Amino acid sequence: MKTTWLVLLFALCAAVGVLFACSSSTSSGDDDQTNDDDNDASPADDDDNDDDDVSPGSLTVENVTQSACLSNSYDPTTSPIDVVQPSWDKGVLKIENLYAYANCGLKLAVDVTSSGNTVTVTETGTGTAAHCECPYNFSYEIHGIDIPGVTLIIQRQDLGATTPSSIFQLELPLGAENKQWLVPLADAFMAGDPTVEPFTAKYAGCDYYHYSDAVFMVRQDQDMYHVFSYDWYDLDNPGNYDPTCHMPVPVTIGTLAAGNYNFGAPSCAKTDGSWSMLTFAVTIP
């Protein structure tokens, strides 16, 4: 009888052991992509693998500078506004924000946060508000990015504002090359057919280093839409830009309600580094 009980007890222990082994095997081999478990190739829904994420708490802002007011008679509807030109230089993401239109009393403070591979920079206005606005040049550096590419978002909260407004958003591949993203010379900027939805602008650019990699960004600034074209060059081996002016390409603005709209495209002349802005107005019927 004693032998029989020992045999039964041994069998019970073996069964429990097999049960736990199966449970562990199921957990480690689960390929459920609904709540990604590191077994699929897409990082978009990855909640366990941090290889494509910026390390938490790793980012710092350094070397923040702010120019004096560039002009007291500046008109942001006819001149460049917030031309952001980032560069990736030896593991440091440097930000140059030209013609940042803000309150005359602004004192720049910069904060940076990350979520996954998105890096969000907030330019915050401190100081005492004045009864005027003017353009500034801002520059600062983001240290601690440890992945080969980010989506960079820049927003600004001016003096007296309750929430920040979006300034810039672009995907930046950060490989071994030291590179800078530039706004090229705009040769032509005009309206597409205003009766066709979604409305498009037509943009022709010149002096690209890598036209095949050019990207566009569209930003709404109150009653005006700005279209930015971005090119890049290698800081260590820039080579020569191509002076060819590319035929106008359509840039989708979106579906607009009936009304009058203004559009602008900043332009930089490579010969002397001077800035201008091409503009047009259009009525959507």
Side-chain angles (χ1 to χ4, degrees), residues 9-279:
L9 181 60
F10 177 79
L12 179 61
C13 290
V16 171
V18 170
L19 179 62
F20 275 102
C22 291
S23 175
S24 175
S25 174
T26 301
S27 175
S28 63
D30 183 15
D31 196 21
D32 180 6
Q33 297 179 14
T34 303
N35 55 353
D36 188 77
D37 53 15
D38 301 337
N39 288 319
D40 64 52
S42 173
D45 59 351
D46 193 343
D47 54 11
D48 297 316
N49 187 352
D50 294 329
D51 291 345
D52 56 335
D53 298 345
V54 179
S55 297
S58 66
L59 301 184
T60 59
V61 180
E62 300 182 23
N63 299 323
V64 178
T65 64
Q66 170 187 346
S67 72
C69 283
L70 301 178
S71 171
N72 291 325
S73 59
Y74 180 80
D75 184 355
T77 64
T78 58
S79 301
I81 179 172
D82 282 302
V83 181
V84 178
Q85 298 198 125
S87 62
W88 177 246
D89 191 1
K90 299 176 178 63
V92 176
L93 184 60
K94 299 180 179 181
I95 309 297
E96 188 177 24
N97 186 357
L98 307 177
Y99 308 104
Y101 194 62
N103 190 277
C104 294
L106 179 139
K107 300 298 180 184
L108 179 65
V110 182
D111 183 51
V112 60
T113 60
S114 66
S115 176
N117 69 343
T118 297
V119 173
T120 301
V121 176
T122 302
E123 300 174 350
T124 302
T126 64
T128 302
H131 297 292
C132 61
E133 292 189 328
C134 68
Y136 302 89
N137 288 341
F138 297 152
S139 66
Y140 43 87
E141 299 175 353
I142 308 300
H143 292 245
I145 296 177
D146 53 4
I147 60 174
V150 299
T151 297
L152 176 64
I153 297 175
I154 296 179
Q155 55 188 13
R156 183 164 63 248
Q157 185 162 339
D158 203 354
L159 284 170
T162 56
T163 57
S165 58
S166 177
I167 300 298
F168 174 90
Q169 179 171 333
L170 208 62
E171 293 186 8
L172 304 180
L174 309 177
E177 294 166 315
N178 297 315
K179 59 173 62 175
Q180 182 170 14
W181 287 265
L182 301 170
V183 173
L185 174 69
D187 179 61
F189 185 56
M190 63 196 77
D193 188 344
T195 65
V196 176
E197 296 183 349
F199 175 71
T200 63
K202 294 183 177 181
Y203 182 102
C206 319
D207 300 349
Y208 284 94
Y209 287 87
H210 299 277
Y211 175 71
S212 61
D213 294 333
V215 295
F216 289 90
M217 187 191 78
V218 179
R219 187 180 81 228
Q220 182 179 5
D221 298 294
Q222 297 180 359
D223 61 347
M224 189 165 187
Y225 286 86
H226 285 94
V227 173
F228 300 80
S229 177
Y230 277 92
D231 179 30
W232 69 273
Y233 78 96
D234 189 324
L235 292 172
D236 300 321
N237 301 287
N240 298 314
Y241 61 82
D242 181 358
T244 302
C245 294
H246 298 269
M247 295 296 291
V249 296
V251 180
T252 300
I253 304 297
T255 300
L256 304 178
N260 300 318
Y261 296 88
N262 295 302
F263 299 84
S267 172
C268 182
K270 293 287 195 301
T271 53
D272 59 4
S274 62
W275 286 92
S276 59
M277 189 161 74
L278 278 64
T279 61

